[in-house]
Amino acid sequence: MKSLKVITQIAASAMLLFAAAQPALAAQDPTGSKQTTYPGISSDALEKFGGEAGVHNWVEALFYYIMLDNRINKIFIEHGNVARQIALNTQLEQMVLGGAVQYEGASMSAAHADLGITLTQFNAVVEAAYNACERVNTPYSVCNQLIAALAPFERSIVTR
Amino acid sequence: MKGLIGVNRYLPSCAALLALSAALFSAGAWADLYNDGKVLATGGVSMTDGAGGGGITPWATITGYGTRDGINGDVHYTYVNLPNYALNSIGGAVGLWDRVELSYTNDVLTTGSTFNTVGLLTDTLGLPTGIAPWNTTIKMDVFGAKVRVFGEAIYDSDNLIPQVAVGGFYKINHNRALLKTLQASKSKDWEAYIAATKIFFPINTLVNVTLRYTAANETGLTGFGGPKGNKREIRPEVSLAYLLNKGTAIGVEYQKHGGNLEGQSVDLNGVVVPGDLLGSLTQHESDWYDAFIAFFPSKNLSITMAYAMLGNITLTPNQSGYYISLQASF
Ligand code: HEM
């Protein structure tokens, strides 16, 4: 009987935590400033990324790997506009790393709403992101600052 | 003829099984179910009870590389070499839609010379203690299940809410006579746990905290409970992993152990021998620690190497040694 009580207690605290988690599960869109993460993104992340030129190189490499990945390239061929996406992503990534750059594209939820993107496809882009960091010789720990900054967009981009 | 009839009787069920596996593995259905879409290393490795996690601690992550879009599984072989013991663990697990995990593992623990003094004596006296004169072996089956409840370990970097899962193990230790000798109260028992896992990308670190509700002695390898009964308690476990690159992690683990058999001697068929009579027959159990490095050369293979510091195990002190675990995912 005591074990039942403990299990109930564990379940109750789990549910309490879940309730606390609710507001945070709202969709995430770019806010026009550095992404808030816990712990925060290191203050020299953009500098270590190589500034605007470095971020641009990374985005170029990102799309190189995306367009080579047979799991996801069809989506970009069919619905994307690679030149526009490279330009807009270069803005967005600088902004979320804390650069004084204004992102001028659509919100993440609006841009991806009709694409029916799965978590599996999202993860494929994350793998391309790590490959891109290696391609432009951005260290893994610096790369993770950008991964941390973009990660919350998963909730708005993955719709299936 | 008789043999043929026997075969015939099994044919219908065989046919059904074949049809089922054909349905499952027919290109279309299997292609829809199968998934290996998690990012490299985020499936974790297989812990010694067979669940997905670290080396000794179950995590809130679901094993394998399946995302919520499908299923994936893995098999593992783990070998731990301690001064007086060797653990061989072979098992498999499946992850279903990144929500449910089912696992099985078979642990075989050889005890080296630990019980040889007792074994020689009791063998001569013909006492059923479960101890062979040499190389007493303990075998245990571990069935596990885990359900991911809420939270997102990887992508919710903008909040501190961990991914939380609840799970349990059912463990059947087959050396009942030895467990009786060691004065454990049960040879089969269940454990329940709640695990919370979170990755902190800005500091390249994964943190896992697990609370296990259990009465196990040495994870059940020396049974459950003691002379005072089978009282379960909540014991904390912690894993810290630092991600060196996308395919390598290093870290440390801690697991609290209980004291059900602490200070107890051995019970030789009803006679509890004073602990200091035959050298040291007093049992002790320490908390477990390990330091590990895990390599993920591809989504199909992980290699974990660790130095395990398990302290006192039954009659023997200073049990530190090497741990290696191979996991193949498919
Ligand atoms: C964190 C990850 C992602 C980020 C930061 C991101 C960012 C962007 C940006 C900035 C745009 C341009 C919006 C505009 O045109 O105004 C865009 C569009 C697009 N994204 Fe993503 N994206 C991500 C993940 C994905 C994934 C996983 C896919 C598919 C597998 C995807 C497919 C597309 C497509 C096809 C478009 C073009 C949509 C259109 O022009 O109508 N994106 N994304």
Side-chain angles (χ1 to χ4, degrees):
Chain A
M1 274 304 91
K2 187 168 162 272
S3 44
L4 208 78
K5 212 170 125 195
V6 172
I7 289 173
T8 321
Q9 273 165 8
I10 288 174
S13 36
M15 262 137 81
L16 221 81
L17 260 167
F18 184 56
Q22 288 307 310
L25 294 176
Q28 172 78 33
D29 274 317
T31 58
S33 60
K34 184 176 176 178
Q35 181 75 266
T36 306
T37 62
Y38 301 96
I41 294 155
S42 72
S43 54
D44 58 358
L46 183 54
E47 190 192 321
K48 289 230 174 98
F49 233 93
E52 179 178 358
V55 170
H56 181 77
N57 282 345
W58 176 82
V59 177
E60 292 267 5
L62 172 71
F63 275 85
Y64 167 80
Y65 285 109
I66 286 176
M67 299 317 280
L68 283 176
D69 190 334
N70 293 330
R71 298 174 295 179
I72 48 174
N73 52 15
K74 287 182 207 73
I75 303 169
F76 289 84
I77 293 165
E78 223 174 286
H79 305 282
N81 174 342
V82 171
R84 176 184 161 89
Q85 282 176 261
I86 287 176
L88 285 172
N89 271 295
T90 304
Q91 291 180 347
L92 178 67
E93 271 77 284
Q94 287 180 79
M95 185 179 82
V96 294
L97 287 176
V101 177
Q102 188 52 47
Y103 168 65
E104 294 167 323
S107 73
M108 288 298 104
S109 33
H112 304 92
D114 303 328
L115 301 173
I117 294 170
T118 64
L119 188 56
T120 304
Q121 291 163 341
F122 186 89
N123 289 345
V125 169
V126 173
E127 287 176 347
Y130 278 120
N131 287 336
C133 280
E134 287 177 359
R135 188 74 181 81
V136 299
N137 295 313
T138 293
Y140 176 76
S141 58
V142 177
C143 195
N144 272 343
Q145 308 302 312
L146 182 59
I147 297 292
L150 296 177
F153 295 146
E154 181 265 338
R155 297 198 299 273
S156 346
I157 292 170
V158 175
T159 51
R160 270 208 294 174
Chain B
M1 273 332 274
K2 198 160 176 246
L4 260 178
I5 292 166
V7 167
N8 253 332
R9 204 180 313 145
Y10 288 107
L11 265 178
S13 52
C14 276
L17 222 105
L18 268 174
L20 185 79
S21 42
L24 207 68
F25 289 91
S26 76
W30 183 238
D32 281 350
L33 280 178
Y34 177 80
N35 185 282
D36 62 356
K38 269 187 199 152
V39 175
L40 187 68
T42 60
V45 298
S46 301
M47 45 87 61
T48 43
D49 289 319
I56 56 176
T57 296
W59 291 355
T61 50
I62 299 295
T63 200
Y65 280 99
T67 66
R68 67 168 83 128
D69 306 320
I71 67 180
N72 196 272
D74 47 66
V75 290
H76 74 270
Y77 169 66
T78 301
Y79 177 71
V80 190
N81 188 274
L82 302 169
N84 285 70
Y85 307 87
L87 177 70
N88 286 272
S89 171
I90 293 184
V94 287
L96 309 169
W97 295 279
D98 204 24
R99 177 61 64 190
V100 174
E101 174 187 300
L102 301 172
S103 62
Y104 165 77
T105 200
N106 178 261
D107 287 339
V108 177
L109 183 79
T110 55
T111 63
S113 61
T114 308
F115 301 112
N116 282 1
T117 319
V118 183
L120 273 171
L121 176 74
T122 56
D123 193 55
T124 319
L125 300 175
L127 298 175
T129 55
I131 300 176
W134 313 106
N135 280 327
T136 302
T137 298
I138 300 169
K139 292 182 181 164
M140 183 165 76
D141 288 312
V142 183
F143 299 89
K146 184 199 291 178
V147 180
R148 178 179 171 183
V149 187
F150 66 83
E152 163 59 45
I154 301 169
Y155 290 128
D156 286 1
S157 60
D158 58 341
N159 66 50
L160 286 170
I161 299 154
Q163 179 165 321
V164 172
V166 292
F169 296 111
Y170 186 67
K171 300 180 170 181
I172 305 169
N173 190 317
H174 296 286
N175 198 336
R176 292 173 62 179
L178 174 63
L179 302 188
K180 205 167 157 239
T181 301
L182 298 175
Q183 305 197 58
S185 84
K186 288 176 95 173
S187 62
K188 305 174 196 171
D189 202 14
W190 57 267
E191 308 181 302
Y193 63 85
I194 180 166
T197 310
K198 191 89 176 171
I199 295 181
F200 300 101
F201 281 116
I203 51 169
N204 315 295
T205 300
L206 176 148
V207 179
N208 177 83
V209 177
T210 299
L211 298 176
R212 208 190 292 219
Y213 184 57
T214 176
N217 311 320
E218 308 293 358
T219 76
L221 288 165
T222 55
F224 304 86
K228 294 186 202 100
N230 195 62
K231 218 175 129 253
R232 290 189 193 84
E233 58 184 355
I234 293 174
R235 299 181 194 155
E237 304 175 28
V238 178
S239 307
L240 293 176
Y242 183 81
L243 311 166
L244 285 176
N245 60 47
K246 66 184 187 187
T248 313
I250 54 172
V252 289
E253 290 185 296
Y254 164 77
Q255 182 179 67
K256 173 106 180 109
H257 276 232
N260 294 321
L261 302 176
E262 189 61 37
Q264 299 294 337
S265 180
V266 293
D267 174 347
L268 301 180
N269 208 28
V271 182
V272 178
V273 181
D276 47 5
L277 194 70
L278 298 167
S280 178
L281 288 184
T282 310
Q283 301 182 55
H284 298 287
E285 179 162 1
S286 309
D287 296 346
W288 285 9
Y289 297 85
D290 72 71
F292 67 85
I293 181 162
F295 298 104
F296 301 85
S298 81
K299 285 190 188 178
N300 297 110
L301 179 69
S302 77
I303 304 161
T304 308
M305 291 184 273
Y307 188 66
M309 291 154 276
L310 312 187
N312 291 293
I313 295 183
T314 66
L315 313 178
T316 48
N318 304 323
Q319 298 300 308
S320 291
Y322 293 95
Y323 166 116
I324 181 155
S325 181
L326 303 175
Q327 184 203 55
S329 300
F330 50 86

